[in-house]
């Protein structure tokens, strides 16, 4: 395929060196808005590269573990400062490899900045507990200990934010890291790690191995010297990661798919709800794990909502994310576009009413990208496949509901449990929803997307396996508690027996 710009040939990062893959082969990172543009060539790695990276991380672990946490944090702080300075360039690179509009790419980089500063702050906290002992002249406390080498596997939809959610807490806790970024968006991780290295990170503390899931991701998850795995991606692959970790009793943190609902009750501020549904459903081309891909609207306001929502969706300008006039970029790749088109066909076949969109865009500026119209199905029923399965594209299923109780039932009747949102002016129903929606995140009078980095992030059911990303909660995955008893009585004291 002809290329519009000279491709950059990029490398793996192992033991502080930028190196080719052992195979010498590479893969292409192309712009989804214009596949004639080759963003970069990246090493196609295999188990051999993974092994070198894990060995480097294992060797770097001891000195890094013994580096005082505030010193570790200073490196993160310096990296955050550089991210701030380079934010615009990093965002442009991200839009070129991922397709999301520039404002959202800036938001993605900002999330990495926020996370890096937040975890830099943790270097002077990492608080444990101190507590009186039940015995005299005895002291008790707990402290966080790092785990060792952490294997990190990330998806393409948040190319810098998600790697930062994993790398920063892992590092501040004293772990070393091997990351395998998504094959569609390797450049953002490459730059993030380059910035960390320039900020003074010792060799081997962070290593990057690029490549495909089965050839590079799987050997990383299985490597005997890995202490813990953190994975974000599809539930299908997450299950494989979990199965691979189970016999080794290896801690594994899974963040997976979603089928998030936005509920609009009859007393909702409709202007606000419509704006939220457009942003929640079509922000990042619907390619967010938290996307509002189901909208349940009270019958009393259903007609008006559907009409006005569709008018807003029709007005969305689809195009290259680098163009400031663009509201919605392309799908990430051909497979994802085909998946969207398949679900459009499924929606039609199961009797949902297509009220706007439904087609791939191929003419003019769209000719070389993976573009699809923003698409809305109305009159959906809760058990339709388009209302149950994660599409991960610009398709929203709208359904009428009779009332609050039914909305909660429908919300909870899917295999996922990441995010849910409710629009109402009734404080009683808002609180009941916060209690009863079985998801990791609930929004009131705001769409399903928009997590902030200092709060726990994750979901229930097929979305997660009980751990949380971000905020203080992330520290609980990347460290283990060690409980410490200090007896200064100079005699044997038996807990539960003496005294
Ligand atoms: P994916 O599961 O296809 O890939 C994710 C990562 O896993 C990639 O780096 C891939 O190379 C790697 N991988 C693939 N097969 C592997 C294997 N056998 N062993 C180890 N690694 C392997 O997901 P994707 O298409 O990149 O991302 C989209 C999915 O991610 C959606 O389901 C979305 O909901 C989910 N997601 C979830 C969250 C969350 O926090 N819950 C956030 C973003 C995305």
């Amino acid at each position: 395929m002809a290329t519009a710009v000279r491709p950059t040939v990029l490398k793996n990062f192992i033991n502080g060196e930028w190196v080719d893959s052992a195979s010498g082969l590479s893969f292409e990172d192309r712009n989804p808005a214009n596949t004639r543009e080759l963003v970069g060539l990246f090493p196609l790695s295999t188990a051999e590269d993974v092994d070198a990276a894990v060995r480097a991380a294992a060797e770097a672990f001891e000195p890094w573990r013994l580096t005082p946490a505030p010193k570790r944090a200073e490196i993160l702080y310096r990296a955050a400062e550089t991210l701030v300075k380079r934010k615009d360039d990093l965002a442009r690179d991200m839009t070129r490899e991922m397709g999301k509009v520039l404002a959202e790419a800036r938001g993605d980089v900002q999330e990495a900045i926020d996370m890096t500063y937040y975890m830099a702050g943790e270097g002077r906290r990492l608080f444990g507990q101190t507590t009186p002992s039940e015995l005299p002249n005895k002291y008790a406390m707990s402290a966080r200990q790092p785990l060792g080498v952490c294997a990190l596997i990330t998806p393409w939809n948040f190319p810098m934010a998600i790697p930062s959610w994993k790398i920063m807490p892992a590092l501040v806790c004293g772990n070393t890291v091997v990351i395998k970024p998504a094959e569609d968006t390797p450049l953002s991780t490459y730059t993030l790690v380059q910035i960390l290295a320039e900020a003074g990170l010792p060799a081997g503390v962070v290593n990057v191995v690029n490549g495909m899931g089965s050839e590079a991701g799987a050997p990383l998850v299985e490597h005997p010297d890995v202490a813990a795995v953190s994975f974000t991606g599809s539930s299908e692959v997450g299950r494989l990661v979990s199965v691979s970790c189970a016999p080794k009793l290896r801690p594994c943190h899974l963040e997976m798919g979603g089928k998030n609902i936005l509920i609009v009750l009859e007393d909702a501020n409709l202007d606000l709800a419509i704006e939220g549904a457009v942003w929640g459903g079509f922000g990042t081309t619907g390619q967010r794990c938290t996307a509002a891909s189901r909208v349940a609207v009270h019958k009393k306001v259903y007609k008006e909502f559907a009409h006005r929502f569709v008018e807003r969706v029709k007005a969305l300008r689809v195009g290259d994310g680098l163009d400031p006039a663009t509201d919605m970029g392309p799908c990430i790749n051909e497979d994802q576009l085909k998946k969207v088109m398949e679900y459009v066909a499924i929606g039609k076949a199961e009797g949902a009413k297509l009220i706007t969109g439904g087609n791939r865009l191929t003419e003019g500026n769209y000719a070389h990208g993976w573009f699809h119209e923003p698409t809305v199905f109305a009159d959906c029923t809760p058990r339709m496949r388009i209302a149950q399965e994660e599409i991960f594209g610009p398709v929203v299923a709208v359904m009428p509901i009779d009332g609050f109780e039914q909305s909660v039932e429908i919300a909870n009747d899917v295999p996922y449990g990441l995010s849910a949102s409710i629009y109402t002016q009734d404080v009683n129903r808002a609180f009941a929803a916060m209690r009863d929606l079985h998801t990791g995140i609930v929004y009131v009078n705001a769409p399903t997307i928009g997590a902030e980095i200092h709060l726990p992030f994750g979901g229930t059911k097929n979305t997660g396996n009980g751990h949380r990303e971000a905020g203080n909660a992330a520290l609980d995955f990347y460290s283990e508690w060690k409980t410490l008893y200090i007896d200064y009585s100079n005699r044997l004291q038996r807990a539960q027996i003496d005294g």
Side-chain angles (χ1 to χ4, degrees), residues 16-184:
E17 311 260 336
W18 295 99
V19 293
D20 288 320
S21 60
S23 70
L25 299 173
S26 54
F27 66 94
E28 296 177 341
D29 177 14
R30 286 190 178 273
N31 181 343
N34 174 10
T35 55
R36 290 172 304 175
E37 183 189 350
L38 185 56
V39 175
L41 285 168
F42 285 81
L44 194 59
S45 309
T46 59
E48 200 178 333
D49 307 289
V50 168
D51 188 50
V54 175
R55 273 192 285 117
E59 212 149 285
F61 175 59
E62 196 60 10
W64 184 245
R65 172 179 84 86
L66 298 174
T67 303
K71 294 283 163 208
R72 299 197 289 255
E74 280 173 17
I75 300 172
L76 268 55
Y77 184 84
R78 283 198 294 273
E81 296 280 271
T82 309
L83 287 168
V84 170
K85 284 193 199 111
R86 295 185 53 191
K87 180 174 168 181
D88 275 350
D89 286 348
L90 300 173
R92 289 187 81 78
D93 276 352
M94 187 185 296
T95 293
R96 283 171 61 223
E97 73 170 347
M98 193 275 166
K100 63 171 80 176
V101 299
L102 210 44
E104 291 184 32
R106 286 199 194 98
D108 194 311
V109 179
Q110 187 59 46
E111 206 165 313
I113 292 169
D114 295 342
M115 183 58 82
T116 309
Y117 278 130
Y118 180 90
M119 288 301 165
E122 271 307 323
R124 286 192 183 268
R125 286 189 293 267
L126 291 177
F127 294 138
Q129 303 123 323
T130 60
T131 178
S133 163
E134 67 184 46
L135 293 161
N137 297 323
K138 195 172 174 185
Y139 194 77
M141 59 187 171
S142 65
R144 291 188 184 276
Q145 302 289 304
L147 307 168
V149 178
C150 294
L152 313 179
I153 310 242
T154 53
W156 45 262
N157 65 335
F158 279 86
M160 193 169 284
I162 292 180
S164 81
W165 291 4
K166 298 185 190 300
I167 293 174
M168 304 311 166
L171 293 185
V172 83
C173 287
N175 303 285
T176 56
V177 157
V178 179
I179 182 165
K180 205 297 280 172
E183 50 270 39
D184 283 298

Side-chain angles (χ1 to χ4, degrees), residues 153-154 156-157 180 183 213 231-234 256-257 289 390 457:
I153 310 242
T154 53
W156 45 262
N157 65 335
K180 205 297 280 172
E183 50 270 39
F231 166 87
T232 300
S234 60
M256 300 168 288
C289 50
E390 186 183 50
F457 182 94

Side-chain angles (χ1 to χ4, degrees), residues 251-268:
C252 106
H253 168 198
L254 306 173
E255 290 293 342
M256 300 168 288
K259 190 71 187 175
N260 314 289
I261 197 163
L262 186 146
I263 299 165
V264 184
L265 297 185
E266 72 276 28
D267 64 344

